[in-house]
Amino acid sequence: MTTRPSTETGSMDPSTDTPVSTEQAGRFARSSVTGAKGRHVSVENLDAYYGEQHAVKSFTIEYEPNKVTAMIGPSGSGKSTMVRCINRMHEEIPGARVTGKITIDGEDLYHPSVDVTAVRHAAGMVFQKPNPFPTMSIYDNVAAGPRLTGMKGGNLKERVEKSLRGAALWDEVKDRLNQPGIGLSGGQQQRLCIARTLAVEPEVILMDEPCSALDPIATLRIEELIDELKQRYTIVIVTHNMQQAARVADSTAFMLDGELIEVGPTERIFTKPNDERTEQYVSGKFG
Ligand SMILES: Nc1ncnc2c1ncn2[C@@H]1O[C@H](COP(=O)(O)OP(=O)(O)OP(=O)(O)O)[C@@H](O)[C@H]1O
Ligand SMILES: [Mg+2]
């Protein structure tokens, strides 16, 4: 996982830390945060490698708009790699490569004419460990992406408030916006990171084990938030927590050794999976 916090907003290019220009983002830009609908993400025959290591194998899936899809599977099964391919972060790793096709509402994310920074803007990422920009205030953490990208439409204060409200954090921080982001609790910091992601108006929200560093109360808060966010976004969440998948996800995808074993409505995956390996995994027999 990256060590630079600035990469995790989806607003900057992790390879160079350069801001995403409005024109670059234009290809995938949403018209507005409010009222916007989630986008359809389609993955077709995706293969991802680290040198010789074949980490994701012929992966095909549809992530439905306004739905939450959980990615489950044992450690090393390729979940994080898969999710990182959606915002084109995988290819930043030396020796890594990807083949296949990923589209957002039909737009090919890997088309040669697409600027990679626009893709990272469109597919916002929230990682395991909350990582606010350490020297910045709560306000500046959220304002940083829009400021750097020169986003227009609505003034910055309104955008910050809307993002913090969207991340269900506003009421807790509205009287301390100038205090450091790292002064918040872990769960609040994770919601701050979600607000930071929302501020740059992504199309899709990718979450890689967003609650694994949080206590049960903070986890519940994030789960409630995910449920709200799906009204507006397409959400993919990697989780090791079966109960969490059962609580938040409309669909669940089970990965094993780089392959998608099966995907379907969460309830069916947990009660009547088609594949014996899924049954063994969800019932705790391995992994
Ligand atoms: N930077 C890397 N360089 C080389 N191989 C890697 C790298 N990152 C992951 N891999 C390998 O790719 C495979 C898939 O890893 P990935 O991190 O996607 O699994 P995961 O399902 O997210 O696991 P976990 O549940 O432990 O997070 C593993 O075999 C892993 O060792
Ligand atoms: Mg992982």
Side-chain angles (χ1 to χ4, degrees):
M1 214 56 73
T2 177
T3 52
R4 278 176 295 177
S6 58
T7 64
E8 302 190 4
T9 63
S11 65
M12 291 192 253
D13 181 338
S15 58
T16 59
D17 278 354
T18 44
V20 185
S21 83
T22 314
E23 285 96 86
Q24 285 167 348
R27 189 170 178 134
F28 299 103
R30 305 166 77 87
S31 49
S32 118
V33 181
T34 43
K37 284 284 173 206
R39 306 296 177 102
H40 191 105
V41 181
S42 174
V43 179
E44 212 180 304
N45 269 319
L46 195 88
D47 286 271
Y49 304 82
Y50 299 92
E52 295 297 300
Q53 163 109 20
H54 195 173
V56 173
K57 300 169 185 164
S58 305
F59 195 99
T60 295
I61 198 168
E62 304 290 331
Y63 295 111
E64 302 292 338
N66 306 106
K67 299 275 188 237
V68 178
T69 304
M71 309 281 296
I72 62 168
S75 183
S77 58
K79 306 178 297 296
S80 295
T81 306
M82 176 53 228
V83 165
R84 286 199 297 263
C85 288
I86 302 176
N87 78 346
R88 294 193 56 176
M89 275 176 64
H90 176 69
E91 67 206 50
E92 297 300 330
I93 294 162
R97 65 191 174 89
V98 185
T99 64
K101 193 169 179 182
I102 303 181
T103 59
I104 295 185
D105 276 0
E107 294 269 13
D108 184 355
L109 299 190
Y110 283 84
H111 191 277
S113 71
V114 168
D115 195 296
V116 69
T117 50
V119 173
R120 294 188 186 131
H121 195 144
M125 191 107 172
V126 176
F127 287 122
Q128 190 168 8
K129 202 165 162 280
N131 58 344
F133 300 128
T135 58
M136 287 187 197
S137 67
I138 293 166
Y139 183 95
D140 287 341
N141 259 279
V142 182
R147 270 185 189 135
L148 283 163
T149 59
M151 285 174 84
K152 303 201 175 67
N155 75 39
L156 191 57
K157 256 172 100 176
E158 280 171 18
R159 184 181 289 274
V160 169
E161 178 174 339
K162 188 152 66 172
S163 304
L164 285 165
R165 284 188 188 281
L169 188 58
W170 176 251
D171 288 338
E172 289 158 71
V173 301
K174 62 178 190 287
D175 300 322
R176 53 192 284 204
L177 292 173
N178 292 324
Q179 292 177 19
I182 50 170
L184 297 171
S185 74
Q188 288 171 329
Q189 287 186 27
Q190 193 62 301
R191 279 179 281 144
L192 181 62
C193 293
I194 293 171
R196 196 171 63 180
T197 297
L198 300 183
V200 294
E201 300 185 10
E203 313 254 323
V204 178
I205 301 179
L206 310 170
M207 298 180 161
D208 195 349
E209 301 187 50
C211 301
S212 61
L214 304 181
D215 67 32
I217 305 278
T219 296
L220 187 67
R221 200 75 196 85
I222 299 284
E223 289 177 0
E224 287 168 355
L225 174 57
I226 290 170
D227 208 50
E228 284 165 37
L229 290 175
K230 79 173 182 186
Q231 313 299 323
R232 285 175 287 142
Y233 299 96
T234 306
I235 299 177
V236 181
I237 175 171
V238 174
T239 181
H240 277 279
N241 181 330
M242 299 297 125
Q243 286 78 24
Q244 176 164 76
R247 285 191 297 263
V248 301
D250 300 285
S251 295
T252 294
F254 172 58
M255 284 188 81
L256 186 62
D257 195 23
E259 289 181 50
L260 176 65
I261 302 301
E262 69 177 294
V263 58
T266 298
E267 204 194 331
R268 184 184 67 67
I269 295 293
F270 283 104
T271 55
K272 280 192 216 103
N274 293 330
D275 194 287
E276 200 183 320
R277 292 165 294 180
T278 314
E279 201 279 317
Q280 287 175 348
Y281 183 73
V282 299
S283 62
K285 294 197 181 99
F286 72 93

